[in-house]
Amino acid sequence: MTAWKISPAGVQRTLEKIPDDFKELQDALKEDSLESCFSGLEWGGAITAAVPKALYDIFDDHKDELSLIINSISAGMLGVGNATRAYQLGQQDMSGNFQREAISSAKTGDFSYFEKNGYKGD
């Protein structure tokens, strides 16, 4: 890496906007939320009877992709936040490590690197 152009304040503002929407997405994808959505479709009797099963099948068929989306958002927040902090401390190599680990964490769901090496609010 030869040149980083990061506005830490801009990154912080962006990262602060993510958690509320992210939590809403996580909550919407929880099984009990989906079940209540499905049961709300039962009002139509025979007309809507197949809809809950069809929706369940879609979510079931795409659960890996949904997990990847959730992991990618989490990894992105951790990677960008930690890379920015490392940049502020003049640790460009560590900034790159955090970004690489974010990509790996998004794919695997393993966030242990950030638990061991991430900045903890300092």
Side-chain angles (χ1 to χ4, degrees), residues 95-116:
S95 292
N97 289 344
F98 282 125
Q99 288 303 98
R100 281 186 291 284
E101 289 299 325
I103 293 167
S104 175
S105 294
K107 292 177 183 175
T108 65
D110 177 5
F111 294 91
S112 61
Y113 180 85
F114 293 101
E115 292 167 10
K116 291 180 205 166

Side-chain angles (χ1 to χ4, degrees), residues 7-18:
S7 165
V11 171
Q12 183 64 32
R13 282 191 303 276
T14 301
L15 289 176
E16 287 171 355
K17 295 176 183 178
I18 297 171

Side-chain angles (χ1 to χ4, degrees), residues 25-54:
L25 174 63
Q26 286 177 306
D27 290 346
L29 294 176
K30 289 182 180 173
E31 192 167 331
D32 57 336
S33 294
L34 294 174
E35 285 178 18
S36 67
C37 175
F38 299 154
S39 65
L41 293 168
E42 294 172 356
W43 61 268
I47 295 171
T48 60
V51 175
K53 169 123 176 54

